[in-house]
Amino acid sequence: MMTQAREYKLLIAEMRERSSVRDGTPPSSVSPVHHAGERATEVTNQTTKGSKACCFCLCCCCSCSCLTMRNTGNNNAKRDTNVELLNGDANETPTLEEIRSWAQSFDAVMKSARGRKKFREFLRSEYSEENLMFWMACEDLQKESNSASVEEKARLIYEDFISILSPKEVSLDSKVRETVNSNMMTPDIHTFDEAQQSIYILMHRDSFPRFINSKMFRNLMEAASSKES
């Protein structure tokens, strides 16, 4: 059975590849972290000299030092994109009973590999796939026990989903963003807990109702019903 960590790695790799195709840049030509660093440098060079704003968040309220400076030796580190194809229960056709449970509970969707896969397909059609990817990245971080790996994963999550320079930036209010910026000074497995909860609520209240009322979901129900009849 595929782990959530491996599932998340596949999602992030596919999205980066699609972004590279749109930009006309080969996916493996330059490290995503290197690009983020270049963009951050370009923007911060235009800001007022002496500002203490973080080069990733660039928010006026941020008093943290540049997050990249905390990882000087890892500025060119590449995300692990050596992922396996979806397998296990995520690729199996969901049963009618399982699909009905999704219609009743968002938790049921998020706890099921098949549910997350179908929900992800719907979010992609709405150009909000990054919300699920961020949530899964946080789940993966919370399972990490090595302190060095925790700091590195937290930095990558910040670059991928919190930084205003990222095309996959998730929508967070200023209070939550301030909390994340503060937590990044000493990152741990709970650095993004408040942000993760905020995005979970957003998906539950906003995307989930549209998902279960979508043509995609109706077709899924009909196909499962026909198969079992």
Side-chain angles (χ1 to χ4, degrees), residues 76-195:
N76 293 320
K78 297 190 179 194
R79 278 77 165 177
D80 179 12
T81 56
N82 295 322
V83 295
E84 298 178 19
L85 295 176
L86 285 170
N87 54 24
D89 65 349
N91 265 353
E92 295 174 3
T93 303
T95 64
L96 181 59
E97 181 181 1
E98 185 176 16
I99 297 171
R100 284 172 174 166
S101 74
W102 297 346
Q104 300 299 318
S105 169
F106 182 57
D107 286 341
V109 174
M110 297 298 280
K111 290 178 180 178
S112 164
R114 289 187 287 261
R116 289 192 301 272
K117 181 182 178 183
K118 296 302 180 183
F119 187 49
R120 172 212 174 186
E121 291 172 1
F122 173 76
L123 291 178
R124 184 188 295 176
S125 72
E126 292 201 332
Y127 304 99
S128 57
E129 184 182 9
E130 65 276 2
N131 290 332
L132 179 59
M133 294 171 66
F134 171 68
W135 183 87
M136 292 180 63
C138 294
E139 290 290 294
D140 180 46
L141 176 66
Q142 290 161 12
K143 295 178 176 65
E144 186 58 66
S145 58
N146 181 277
S147 58
S149 295
V150 167
E151 184 166 348
E152 177 66 5
K153 286 185 177 183
R155 183 175 64 84
L156 297 181
I157 290 173
Y158 191 98
E159 291 177 3
D160 279 338
F161 303 109
I162 307 300
S163 170
I164 63 172
L165 302 174
S166 173
K168 301 188 294 294
E169 179 194 5
V170 295
S171 178
L172 299 172
D173 64 39
S174 59
K175 182 179 179 180
V176 174
R177 187 173 289 275
E178 284 181 35
T179 298
V180 171
N181 289 335
S182 177
N183 291 344
M184 282 300 293
M185 296 301 294
T186 53
D188 59 27
I189 62 173
H190 300 296
T191 293
F192 302 100
D193 283 3
E194 189 173 342

